[in-house]
Amino acid sequence: MVALDINEHRLSSGAWLGKLKGATGPLVGLLALCIFLSFSTDTFLSVRNGLNILDQITVLGIMAVGMTFVILIGGIDLSVGSALALAMMVMGWTANVAGLPLPVGIAFALIASAVSGLIVGLLVTQFRVPAFIATLAMMSAARGVANMITDGQQIVGFPDWFMMLAIDRHFGVMTATVFLMLAVVLAAWLFLHFRSEGRMLYAVGGNPEVARLAGINVPLVTISVYVVSAVLAGLAGIVLAARLDSVQPSSGLGYELDTIAAVVIGGTSLSGGAGGIGGTLIGVLIIGVLRNGLNLLNVSPFLQQVIIGIVIVLAVGAETIRRRRA
């Protein structure tokens, strides 16, 4: 109990300041990027373009919240892109092939993604499979199941109300999908800051053995985190389906890398125990703004991949230097 009291004291007194410091660098980088793009192109600094950026980062933003939880406990999740595709195909098959109402299909989609996360959590905690291997296996398995559902075929056409979730701008500003992303981000931020369960993630990521001795059920926390990560990936898949008005088993390829990149760029430590949702949101915005700006500058998509890779390396290097000086 003494260790838990010490951890709680540290989190309550120093974590707020530490998290702000951790997100300062990414925030400065985001502002510098926006200033550069504002002078480089006439169309970047406009309300319409800003709203387009928000629309474009909804899927990544929702997935990055779950990945933040995973990385905070010192884990990794390579299966989120496949969980996204699995959820999309389950929803599409249930609604368009089985003929059930779309809300029922959405529920089944979230359940399917939750099951994939549960399997990963059990592999990591009960069978001691490294998170990298467990999620790599699930990445392949979930993608295979997604293809099996429709024999690799896409499903097109959903009710108009579903498609309008990603098109209709409420109050002339934001779509329902953007509001959903912001709600997920806010809920996660409140969870990490004001719930004891949120503080447990930092404790587990900092030192699992100390967390166990302090009375924290480390396996349960780990399983719950992987389930939440998969469910949020499934939710992101539903948002993507609304944007595309279609689902296909190849959706989400490479999304796990973008998601990890957003979290790392936002200052969350890959070793666990440090970081937060605020930094992740900034990381998501950096990727969104960077891609949007590069498109406006007519930069080749292949060169964009190189630039984003360099940004990731610089972010990890900066985080490593900051930890050494701390």
Side-chain angles (χ1 to χ4, degrees):
M1 295 299 295
V2 174
L4 181 60
D5 291 340
I6 293 175
N7 285 336
E8 289 183 349
H9 174 71
R10 287 177 178 174
L11 286 168
S12 60
S13 60
W16 288 75
L17 182 58
K19 290 172 190 175
L20 286 174
K21 288 182 179 178
T24 300
L27 180 59
V28 172
L30 176 61
L31 293 176
L33 180 61
C34 291
I35 293 172
F36 170 76
L37 292 174
S38 299
F39 286 102
S40 301
T41 173
D42 297 333
T43 55
F44 175 78
L45 198 61
S46 65
V47 175
R48 180 177 180 180
N49 190 57
L51 295 178
N52 287 336
I53 293 175
L54 288 178
D55 290 335
Q56 293 164 4
I57 66 171
T58 49
V59 173
L60 178 60
I62 293 173
M63 295 176 68
V65 170
M67 187 65 74
T68 302
F69 289 167
V70 172
I71 294 180
L72 278 177
I73 65 170
I76 198 72
D77 192 350
L78 301 177
S79 65
V80 289
S82 297
L84 175 147
L86 176 62
M88 291 177 72
M89 298 313 297
V90 168
M91 182 193 72
W93 185 89
T94 304
N96 286 29
V97 179
L100 296 177
L102 184 56
V104 176
I106 292 174
F108 275 111
L110 295 178
I111 291 173
S113 59
V115 170
S116 70
L118 176 62
I119 293 173
V120 168
L122 291 174
L123 287 174
V124 172
T125 58
Q126 303 303 314
F127 296 94
R128 299 293 189 266
V129 178
F132 181 88
I133 301 300
T135 57
L136 185 64
M138 181 53 65
M139 179 177 69
S140 178
R143 181 73 62 181
V145 173
N147 278 280
M148 290 170 59
I149 291 175
T150 60
D151 196 24
Q153 301 299 313
Q154 68 174 348
I155 297 175
V156 180
F158 292 101
D160 290 340
W161 66 262
F162 181 66
M163 186 175 59
M164 293 305 295
L165 294 176
I167 297 177
D168 188 22
R169 295 193 183 278
H170 298 274
F171 310 108
V173 181
M174 295 183 186
T175 61
T177 53
V178 173
F179 278 117
L180 176 61
M181 180 197 70
L182 295 177
V184 170
V185 170
L186 178 60
W189 185 85
L190 292 173
F191 172 78
L192 289 179
H193 283 81
F194 297 104
R195 297 289 299 179
S196 60
E197 293 86 353
R199 294 193 293 272
M200 288 180 185
L201 302 189
Y202 290 97
V204 172
N207 192 317
E209 181 60 22
V210 172
R212 184 187 67 81
L213 295 175
I216 297 175
N217 190 334
V218 176
L220 180 59
V221 171
T222 302
I223 292 173
S224 300
V225 164
Y226 279 105
V227 170
V228 170
S229 177
V231 169
L232 289 177
L235 183 61
I238 294 168
V239 170
L240 182 60
R243 291 190 62 192
L244 301 177
D245 192 32
S246 65
V247 296
Q248 51 188 359
S250 61
S251 297
L253 286 173
Y255 279 30
E256 59 278 346
L257 301 181
D258 285 350
T259 307
I260 295 171
V263 176
V264 173
I265 290 173
T268 298
S269 173
L270 283 170
S271 60
I277 296 299
T280 294
L281 181 59
I282 295 173
V284 170
L285 287 170
I286 287 177
I287 291 182
V289 169
L290 183 60
R291 283 191 168 152
N292 175 267
L294 293 175
N295 286 330
L296 293 177
L297 294 173
N298 295 318
V299 176
S300 165
F302 307 114
L303 181 57
Q304 290 185 29
Q305 294 177 349
V306 175
I307 294 174
I308 292 176
I310 294 174
V311 170
I312 294 173
V313 171
L314 292 176
V316 174
E319 192 268 341
T320 301
I321 294 174
R322 182 178 61 84
R323 284 172 59 86
R324 288 177 178 175
R325 291 180 176 178

